[in-house]
Amino acid sequence: MDLRYMVKELWYRKRRTLTATIGLAVGMAILITMNALSSAYTEAARMPLKEIGADITVQRAGDVPEDLTGPVFACSAVTIRKNDIDQIRTLPGVQGFAQALLVWVFDADRFTIVLGLDPSNPSGPGVLRSQVTDGKFLEKGKKQALVEASFAKNFNLKTGDTVMVAGKAYPVAGIVDASRATKIAVAHIYLPLEEAQKMAATSKQVQAVSPFGKDDANILFIKAAPGQIDALARSIKDILGDKASVATPASFLKQLGSLFALSDKFSMVTSLIAVLVTLLIVLKTMAANLTERAGEIGILKAIGWSNGNVVSQIVGESTLQCFIGGILGLLFAILAASALGFMHVSIPIPWEMSPTPHFLPGGGDPVFRTLRLPVHISWQLAAFAIILSSLIGAVIGAFLSRRIARIKPSEVLRYE
Amino acid sequence: MNNHNIISATDLNKNFDSLQVVKGVNLDVKKGGFVSIVGKSGSGKTTLLSLLSGLERPSSGRVTLNGRDITDSSENELALFRRDTVGFIFQSFHLIPTLSAWENVALPLFPIKIHIEKRKERALELLRQMEMEHRADHRPSMLSGGEKQRVAIARALINNPKIIFADEPTGNLDSATGEAIMDILKSLHADKGLSLVMVTHDLDLAESSDRIVRMQDGEVLS
């Protein structure tokens, strides 16, 4: 095959080259964009959990507290026993693990959402460390509190003050701004886990509804090994039973309800249609091109080109043309992805994961995490599209040229 | 076969379905000879040229070209044989419209692994001989009929052929240009000793050759 001849054929037969190249480019752009969009929704669905340093959160549903006084558990987050916690912690595929305790505290003068966390654990609510705006993060073993910024403002609390929770005083170690965080596992006041556990263990209301030991918890945060999330979620449900509420990126994807989010099958079917239409466009254009060039091919054979020489020249031409189409398609897709990147997506947070009681004013409102759709074209997707384009060119070139290469030069010359 | 013959055709017949286009032709062409095949349109002269040059296979009979019996050769064997042995000149020039003059000249060498500079050098040398070097980078659409035919002659010579087959080489040219092209062909025969088989319906042109073969209804009359 001769590159100079290939390039000149493509360059001087501009109309056909453009038809085939742009047709293929549009098809490839659709394929790349659809897949990038589908990945973007999947990535967006990961964000709420990713922002709290986990791939999976685990809660267990229970009974509604009978009397809303003092510390109580939300009915969506009741006791998870220590032995169950230990069993989950050692499941295969668990790469990171944190436990926390969410407690609603109904004091006489105010309602407080309290979250007990392990300050030394970077997973789960430990990610709040980076959102401390004043003072310090909690320290393990120290009886102190971290106060959410808007709560601190409402109740005029500052670092160094003392805050009362369920009748106990805690020095305020710092202020944390969790307003931009996912509305999961956010609280008004954060305490060391042991303090919250003591608070729950000594609460009659808690013990009446959901017996609680001092080493139990009610929310687990798990980082899973790549590809292990769904298997791990199933194992956790097996341990905790039907009432377990196990949230994974897939659960958020379901909440999104978008066609892209509903299934990979949608993007696969759309991509397949795009590739098939592309294939037909390239096939039709190239077939017309070769019919037009039958005389030229007859001459090539008359002056000594073998069937193989003709086939390799045409295959080279169509591969080069489709390779260029693939590159152009990638550029179109990059433009489309940049435009789609301005779109916002609101991910609904399931009510059971919201820490706010739904019976309080505004507590029953739907909670969303809104973020910009993270549309990125991975290099693997880009490479796949370009390789696929070139392959389409090679296969169509080979298919069409095998027939036309068998043309007899004398037949062409006779009719010319 | 006589060693002095470059072509030897024996009892050649060619049928297209029920139509017999060439009937029992026996023809020898001497090495370095110049033979014109003349006849009216439809007399079978172009088909005979195709049979003699290996572009077409006979329905029966045999053809020996440059010492090789090509009758039963495969398509690919014939293609390679043509590339090494034969040059073609056509009435409609048959240049590739997307390639420049020098690239058209070098076209038979494209499948061969030769450095592009050498390929170009050889093509330019032949264009120089055809007084066409100044048009080397022009595409066929920018050339006159006579210039196109000069490029086509250069292309026919690129592989140092033993024989040239020319099918109505002046058929699409005005008389002055046609004469100039004929002068080139005659000089190739006279000066370089190339064998030449030319199909024409113009008896005046045929007069330039060593021998005239007349055809009528697929048969050779003389």
Side-chain angles (χ1 to χ4, degrees):
Chain A
M1 74 179 85
D2 189 275
L3 184 63
R4 172 184 288 263
Y5 187 11
M6 275 182 220
V7 171
K8 287 205 162 184
E9 278 297 330
L10 298 179
W11 180 254
Y12 287 115
R13 295 183 195 276
K14 284 192 182 74
R15 195 172 57 83
R16 289 217 186 279
T17 305
L18 278 177
T19 309
T21 309
I22 291 177
L24 188 126
V26 169
M28 282 301 135
I30 292 172
L31 181 141
I32 298 170
T33 311
M34 284 295 173
N35 282 280
L37 210 50
S38 176
S39 303
Y41 273 98
T42 308
E43 181 61 23
R46 292 179 70 91
M47 292 309 279
L49 292 176
K50 203 173 171 183
E51 284 172 352
I52 50 165
D55 295 313
I56 301 173
T57 62
V58 183
Q59 291 172 212
R60 204 160 67 85
D63 293 332
V64 178
E66 287 167 2
D67 187 6
L68 294 177
T69 51
V72 299
F73 281 169
C75 64
S76 58
V78 300
T79 307
I80 301 174
R81 290 291 191 184
K82 183 181 183 300
N83 57 339
D84 289 338
I85 294 171
D86 290 342
Q87 219 179 322
I88 291 168
R89 191 200 303 266
T90 52
L91 280 172
V94 174
Q95 283 193 334
F97 186 91
Q99 52 185 317
L101 189 64
L102 182 75
V103 186
W104 290 343
V105 180
F106 292 89
D107 285 325
D109 55 342
R110 69 180 172 215
F111 164 70
T112 314
I113 302 170
V114 174
L115 187 74
L117 55 88
D118 178 359
S120 60
N121 192 332
S123 299
V127 296
L128 286 173
R129 182 183 291 275
S130 61
Q131 287 159 21
V132 172
T133 54
D134 187 53
K136 300 185 294 187
F137 192 63
L138 299 175
E139 286 176 44
K140 195 169 174 67
K142 285 194 177 174
K143 186 183 166 185
Q144 51 188 193
L146 196 64
V147 182
E148 203 279 322
S150 59
F151 187 83
K153 194 177 173 190
N154 283 348
F155 293 97
N156 200 23
L157 292 167
K158 296 185 290 296
T159 304
D161 289 352
T162 299
V163 63
M164 295 296 292
V165 185
K168 282 194 176 177
Y170 295 91
V172 177
I175 306 293
V176 63
D177 180 9
S179 61
R180 279 176 298 164
T182 304
K183 306 291 183 280
I184 303 171
V186 287
H188 298 141
I189 290 176
Y190 301 89
L191 297 178
L193 182 60
E194 309 81 55
E195 289 298 320
Q197 283 169 324
K198 270 186 231 166
M199 184 189 294
T202 54
S203 164
K204 284 181 191 166
Q205 303 302 335
V206 168
Q207 296 294 5
V209 176
S210 178
F212 186 85
K214 67 176 177 57
D215 295 322
D216 296 341
N218 66 359
I219 307 181
L220 308 181
F221 301 87
I222 296 164
K223 275 180 97 93
Q228 297 270 312
I229 295 176
D230 292 336
L232 209 48
R234 281 193 297 274
S235 304
I236 294 167
K237 278 195 171 173
D238 287 345
I239 293 170
L240 294 180
D242 290 344
K243 293 208 165 177
S245 167
V246 181
T248 63
S251 4
F252 285 92
L253 205 57
K254 273 186 195 161
Q255 296 276 328
L256 270 172
S258 155
L259 270 179
F260 295 98
L262 274 178
S263 74
D264 287 341
K265 281 180 192 153
F266 176 75
S267 58
M268 203 176 81
V269 168
T270 322
S271 305
L272 205 67
I273 292 170
V275 170
L276 279 177
V277 172
T278 301
L279 217 107
L280 287 176
I281 292 172
V282 176
L283 188 70
K284 193 174 176 299
T285 318
M286 282 211 61
N289 182 29
L290 287 183
T291 307
E292 228 172 51
R293 288 170 63 192
E296 179 181 320
I297 289 160
I299 295 303
L300 294 178
K301 294 197 72 181
I303 62 172
W305 284 46
S306 67
N307 288 1
N309 297 148
V310 172
V311 168
S312 63
Q313 184 67 29
I314 293 170
V315 168
E317 257 177 53
S318 63
T319 307
L320 178 64
Q321 176 173 270
C322 291
F323 173 77
I324 295 167
I327 299 273
L328 201 62
L330 178 61
L331 294 178
F332 288 169
I334 289 171
L335 288 178
S338 310
L340 290 168
F342 287 104
M343 271 172 59
H344 283 83
V345 58
S346 293
I347 303 162
I349 306 295
W351 72 269
E352 67 272 18
M353 296 181 76
S354 168
T356 313
H358 61 274
F359 47 81
L360 288 185
D365 294 346
V367 181
F368 294 95
R369 172 74 178 102
T370 300
L371 48 96
R372 266 170 78 158
L373 199 56
V375 190
H376 300 296
I377 296 170
S378 67
W379 70 265
Q380 291 96 330
L381 180 60
F384 170 76
I386 290 169
I387 291 170
L388 182 67
S389 305
S390 309
L391 211 61
I392 287 174
V395 169
I396 290 179
F399 172 69
L400 293 175
S401 63
R402 282 172 72 87
R403 275 181 54 200
I404 200 123
R406 284 200 286 267
I407 203 167
K408 286 187 178 172
S410 56
E411 281 174 18
V412 177
L413 296 170
R414 195 181 309 135
Y415 293 114
E416 298 250 329
Chain B
M1 182 198 147
N2 188 326
N3 279 340
H4 298 294
N5 291 339
I6 190 154
I7 297 175
S8 186
T10 313
D11 197 19
L12 276 187
N13 289 287
K14 182 65 186 179
N15 302 333
F16 292 114
D17 298 321
S18 58
L19 182 67
Q20 192 170 10
V21 186
V22 173
K23 300 171 187 169
V25 170
N26 290 290
L27 181 68
D28 289 333
V29 177
K30 287 188 178 137
K31 279 182 184 167
F34 181 2
V35 173
S36 291
I37 304 171
V38 296
K40 289 181 181 168
S41 180
S43 60
K45 51 190 190 301
T46 295
T47 306
L48 179 60
L49 186 94
S50 296
L51 292 172
L52 297 176
S53 62
L55 284 177
E56 187 87 68
R57 280 209 193 84
S59 303
S60 65
R62 304 204 79 78
V63 179
T64 304
L65 180 56
N66 197 35
R68 177 174 164 178
D69 187 336
I70 59 168
T71 318
D72 300 319
S73 300
S74 70
E75 280 292 325
N76 273 338
E77 284 169 345
L78 280 175
L80 292 177
F81 183 72
R82 287 194 297 268
R83 189 173 75 195
D84 295 339
T85 316
V86 175
F88 284 102
I89 300 164
F90 304 101
Q91 178 179 353
S92 308
F93 324 122
H94 289 310
L95 300 177
I96 306 297
T98 54
L99 299 179
S100 67
W102 81 260
E103 288 161 341
N104 265 290
V105 173
L107 196 58
L109 305 182
F110 278 18
I112 304 170
K113 281 185 182 165
I114 300 176
H115 194 274
I116 187 160
E117 285 307 319
K118 281 196 172 174
R119 205 189 277 176
K120 187 171 184 179
E121 200 177 298
R122 169 98 181 112
L124 290 178
E125 170 56 30
L126 286 166
L127 284 174
R128 196 175 302 126
Q129 288 175 25
M130 298 295 131
E131 297 173 0
M132 282 290 294
E133 199 186 5
H134 63 294
R135 305 287 259 159
D137 291 318
H138 292 132
R139 289 196 290 139
S141 59
M142 301 156 86
L143 304 176
S144 69
E147 287 175 323
K148 284 179 192 168
Q149 199 59 298
R150 283 165 191 261
V151 173
I153 294 171
R155 180 180 66 189
L157 295 172
I158 191 91
N159 53 350
N160 292 315
K162 305 289 181 292
I163 183 166
I164 288 196
F165 291 92
D167 187 0
E168 303 275 12
T170 60
N172 275 355
L173 304 174
D174 60 64
S175 54
T177 312
E179 268 178 41
I181 293 298
M182 274 313 294
D183 286 345
I184 293 171
L185 292 178
K186 281 189 274 187
S187 76
L188 287 174
H189 167 241
D191 303 341
K192 297 193 174 181
L194 268 177
S195 305
L196 196 61
V197 177
M198 177 177 75
V199 163
T200 180
H201 62 272
D202 186 336
L203 275 172
D204 290 341
L205 287 181
E207 294 298 332
S208 321
S209 58
D210 304 337
R211 181 183 162 196
I212 298 175
V213 174
R214 292 170 204 277
M215 285 195 78
Q216 188 179 315
D217 298 331
E219 291 179 293
V220 170
L221 298 179
S222 60

